[in-house]
Amino acid sequence: MSEVTLTIDDKEVKAKEGMTVLEAAQEAGFDIPTLCHHDKLAPYGGCRLCTVEVNDGRRTRLVTSCVYQVKDGITVKTESEKVVRIRKLLLELLWARAPGVQALRDYGIKYGIDRTKFDIGPTCCILCGQCVRYCAEVKKKNALGFVGRGIRRQVMFFPEIAVEECAKCGGECFSICPTGVLPSNYALTQLPGFTFPTRFLG
Ligand code: FES
């Protein structure tokens, strides 16, 4: 696999072709915020918090670094004014879903966010999808998934699979949930007479 050279925040960095900008940056010691990235899972690009500014010699644009592959000669800014502005907005939106959870609190300190102007009804789930993808990609069970659209989008366990498969697995996905809401979602599927809330199906 051939090597490419890129510049990240004025530092020359070597990376293998096929790597993402996030991987190259992490390997070079840069700390780009992530909420949906997991080393064991395929790149997803859901939370957008890892957004960086890339110049390829022709134009500058914002890209999602966990899915954008390195190219020879590109210049990457991980904390430009535009990038920081977008991260703040995203953090505020996520804060509205999961107010004050530790994962957001940590980034909130860095970017000066400790409240939100958005009112979208907290669910304590930031829809990073790590649990859904872990169950599908690593465990190959699909015991949980996204249901609903827009602000009603939720992660739910599918009782007919979860009751059997999650007991065998022991809830490995619980430990990768950045908000810690997953065990209570799971507990919901165990209630006698549990049925899927139809309001999430539309
Ligand atoms: S970490 Fe890249 S989009 Fe979430």
Side-chain angles (χ1 to χ4, degrees), residues 22 33-37 44-51 64-67:
L22 177 68
T34 63
L35 279 170
C36 69
H37 175 76
Y44 181 59
C47 74
R48 311 273 166 184
L49 209 61
C50 68
T51 295
T64 310
S65 67
C66 67
V67 294

Side-chain angles (χ1 to χ4, degrees), residues 47-135:
C47 74
R48 311 273 166 184
L49 209 61
C50 68
T51 295
V52 295
E53 215 171 334
V54 166
N55 182 289
D56 60 4
R58 285 175 301 150
R59 61 184 178 134
T60 302
R61 62 194 172 117
L62 295 165
V63 304
T64 310
S65 67
C66 67
V67 294
Y68 189 87
Q69 291 192 355
V70 292
K71 293 187 182 77
D72 200 44
I74 61 170
T75 303
V76 179
K77 297 278 181 208
T78 68
E79 294 281 334
S80 70
E81 210 179 303
K82 258 192 200 164
V83 166
V84 170
R85 206 180 319 132
I86 281 172
R87 284 199 193 132
K88 284 182 169 186
L89 179 67
L90 290 169
L91 279 171
E92 266 203 73
L93 282 164
L94 293 170
W95 197 282
R97 293 194 64 93
V101 300
Q102 197 54 48
L104 298 180
R105 210 179 274 273
D106 292 343
Y107 288 134
I109 291 169
K110 181 172 179 185
Y111 293 101
I113 301 295
D114 63 359
R115 68 198 64 203
T116 180
K117 57 180 166 295
F118 301 106
D119 178 15
I120 52 177
T123 61
C124 280
C125 173
I126 56 172
L127 303 176
C128 69
Q130 290 191 71
C131 52
V132 173
R133 293 177 289 132
Y134 187 87
C135 193

Side-chain angles (χ1 to χ4, degrees), residues 124-192:
C124 280
C125 173
I126 56 172
L127 303 176
C128 69
Q130 290 191 71
C131 52
V132 173
R133 293 177 289 132
Y134 187 87
C135 193
E137 293 175 29
V138 178
K139 305 302 292 185
K140 315 257 183 255
K141 295 300 177 196
N142 298 298
L144 69 174
F146 289 110
V147 291
R149 299 192 195 105
I151 59 169
R152 288 186 166 176
R153 197 161 162 79
Q154 281 272 21
V155 167
M156 297 295 281
F157 284 86
F158 304 124
E160 63 280 15
I161 305 174
V163 166
E164 195 172 325
E165 297 300 340
C166 298
K168 281 190 224 153
C169 161
E172 288 175 28
C173 59
F174 292 177
S175 62
I176 61 172
C177 173
T179 71
V181 72
L182 213 48
S184 47
N185 275 7
Y186 176 69
L188 190 63
T189 68
Q190 304 303 297
L191 294 175

Side-chain angles (χ1 to χ4, degrees), residues 25-44:
Q26 286 178 335
E27 214 170 271
F30 291 94
D31 184 20
I32 296 176
T34 63
L35 279 170
C36 69
H37 175 76
H38 191 289
D39 288 340
K40 282 190 180 163
L41 305 176
Y44 181 59

